Amino acid sequence: MPSTAPANSPSTAPATAAATPTLAGTSWRLTSFQANDDGSQALRPASPDAFTLSFGQDGRLAVKLDCNRGNGPWQAVATDATGGTLSLGPVATTRAMCPPDAVDSRLAQDLPALRTWRLQDNRLHTGLPADAGDYVWERITP
């Protein structure tokens, strides 16, 4: 005997996919960098607002690296419901002499090497290859 369940009943409704995360249109300020070396302390910028990433809808990235500014292309591909792969740059930046900050030179060097992204607890985690370290960013709300 054929089923008499309505076409949209829970047993026959198509499964809905989880929303695909995206970085497009978001901006972030740096809260810390943690190298995965045993015993290393997390680096924290003196002023988190001095280090920002803004992912444009047009595939352009705007960065603030202390007293310097830059921009370049970005691409993020979601591989699961929380993150995926990341490609930044090349990023063209100004070259002003900023006050010393341990995060400044490290981030400028690491930016093109970032390869992964993950959204967790309202924070963006961007990772270096081979689990060498993790930059943690908090969302800047407009």
Side-chain angles (χ1 to χ4, degrees):
M1 182 165 169
S3 171
T4 58
N8 290 330
S9 72
S11 62
T12 60
T16 56
T20 303
T22 182
L23 296 177
T26 64
S27 295
W28 306 85
R29 74 174 57 88
L30 183 64
T31 61
S32 67
F33 169 75
Q34 178 66 56
N36 288 337
D37 302 337
D38 290 333
S40 65
Q41 295 280 343
L43 293 176
R44 299 188 190 289
S47 173
D49 288 324
F51 300 92
T52 64
L53 298 177
S54 295
F55 296 93
Q57 296 279 0
D58 61 355
R60 300 295 297 170
L61 174 72
V63 300
K64 184 162 63 165
L65 301 170
D66 202 354
C67 67
N68 288 296
R69 306 286 183 273
N71 63 66
W74 72 275
Q75 183 178 24
V77 177
T79 57
D80 61 33
T82 62
T85 61
L86 181 65
S87 175
L88 305 178
V91 175
T93 61
T94 58
R95 298 187 186 271
M97 295 297 291
C98 304
D101 186 318
V103 175
D104 183 33
S105 59
R106 175 87 199 219
L107 180 56
Q109 175 185 332
D110 286 347
L111 200 60
L114 295 173
R115 292 290 175 259
T116 61
W117 65 281
R118 181 177 82 255
L119 297 173
Q120 179 181 350
D121 300 327
N122 292 321
R123 295 188 183 260
L124 170 65
H125 296 256
T126 55
L128 293 167
D131 291 328
D134 187 41
Y135 285 89
V136 180
W137 310 81
E138 65 183 4
R139 188 181 295 264
I140 299 171
T141 51

